Amino acid sequence: MMKKFLMLVMMMLTACAMLLAGCGGDKKEAAEKVLRVGTEPSFAPFEFQKEGSKEFTGFDIDLIRAIGKQMGYKVEVQNMGFDALIPALNAGNIDVAIAGMSITDERKKVVEFSDPYYTSGLIIMVNKDNNDIKSLKDLEGKRIACQIGTTGEKKSRSIPGAQVTAFNTQSEASLELKNGGADAVINDAPVVAYYLQQGGSESAKTVGEKMEAEDYGIAVKKDNAKLAAEINKAMAELKKNGEFDKIYKTWFGEDK
Ligand code: GLN
């Protein structure tokens, strides 16, 4: 009698344990719906790491976190070279790339873009004491610093006779200018504006106007139109409920 009772208790305990394990397993699965995001954080105020911190911050980071939340994903951001983002997408190592990436016809051939979320454009930055360079034309034969794989690099390489050095990060390109290793930098206007505002204006300035408009988009793998549509849906929702404007205001200080 006692033996039978003990066996019954043990069976019940085992069943309970299995049930609990099962529950735990389900929970884990739900929390693991992860959106793997790639970025290149030398592009403040869109993506950067605050001094002494490894944590990513910026307009793009807040935006993709909000989009991920809206879609029910846990967002995990990883740091990679700007020119590594598209290969990483197509190799399936990341799900999305958000990096102030301009939607271009060339890129559209190899990746899928979300709807545009910010309108940008290139600008020229020179050292404060430079009074020779006033336009693109004046850059002919000059030393230009830019970032690898960017529209700024493409523009730099289109200038006749220019000696172009492409760096891994925008920060290095700006430093090269400051150190006198380059005569100019070509980079996105809002990023240059932020750099100047954060102390860069002590040694540098912009010249001329912003060049043709470039729209930023969130990139996903070429055949993944479904994910792009999901992102667009989430972004539209954030625009409707005021969240997008809130994020915009945080970083650009004005209403969209
Ligand atoms: N908008 C530019 C491009 O797409 C620069 C992006 C960047 O440097 N993060 O090439």
Side-chain angles (χ1 to χ4, degrees), residues 4-189:
K4 256 195 183 160
F5 177 72
L6 268 176
M7 247 169 75
L8 204 75
V9 168
M10 265 168 71
M11 267 162 69
M12 275 168 69
L13 279 175
T14 317
C16 271
M18 274 164 74
L19 214 78
L20 278 174
C23 280
D26 281 345
K27 249 191 205 149
K28 211 167 143 228
E29 220 165 72
E32 264 175 1
K33 205 177 153 197
V34 171
L35 191 68
R36 296 164 306 160
V37 176
T39 195
E40 193 290 299
S42 70
F43 208 60
F46 294 91
E47 42 270 327
F48 60 107
Q49 289 158 306
K50 284 211 190 97
E51 247 184 82
S53 163
K54 284 261 163 270
E55 217 176 291
F56 300 102
T57 184
F59 176 74
D60 284 355
I61 304 301
D62 283 353
L63 180 61
I64 199 64
R65 287 199 192 285
I67 287 173
K69 195 170 167 204
Q70 182 72 30
M71 286 164 54
Y73 283 86
K74 180 172 177 248
V75 172
E76 277 177 16
V77 185
Q78 38 183 303
N79 179 352
M80 52 185 74
F82 187 78
D83 59 338
L85 291 168
I86 289 180
L89 276 177
N90 287 332
N93 295 334
I94 52 173
D95 303 307
V96 310
I98 189 161
M101 190 182 281
S102 304
I103 302 174
T104 66
D105 288 340
E106 211 178 325
R107 289 179 183 148
K108 272 202 283 196
K109 284 184 199 145
V110 286
V111 289
E112 208 77 49
F113 278 106
S114 70
D115 291 336
Y117 66 87
Y118 185 93
T119 303
S120 186
L122 297 170
I123 202 155
I124 303 167
M125 176 167 76
V126 298
N127 281 327
K128 228 175 166 175
D129 55 8
N130 184 322
N131 293 311
D132 306 332
I133 299 172
K134 295 196 169 62
S135 68
L136 265 183
K137 187 96 189 93
D138 301 327
L139 286 180
E140 291 181 10
K142 293 285 191 321
R143 300 167 304 163
I144 309 173
C146 55
Q147 185 182 16
I148 293 178
T150 60
T151 50
E153 180 183 13
K154 199 158 181 226
K155 181 62 86 183
S156 303
R157 297 207 184 276
S158 75
I159 298 166
Q163 300 159 49
V164 179
T165 313
F167 292 88
N168 282 324
T169 64
Q170 294 286 2
S171 322
E172 287 165 283
S174 301
L175 196 62
E176 185 73 356
L177 174 73
K178 191 176 179 183
N179 293 339
D183 302 305
V185 160
I186 298 186
N187 186 9
D188 293 26

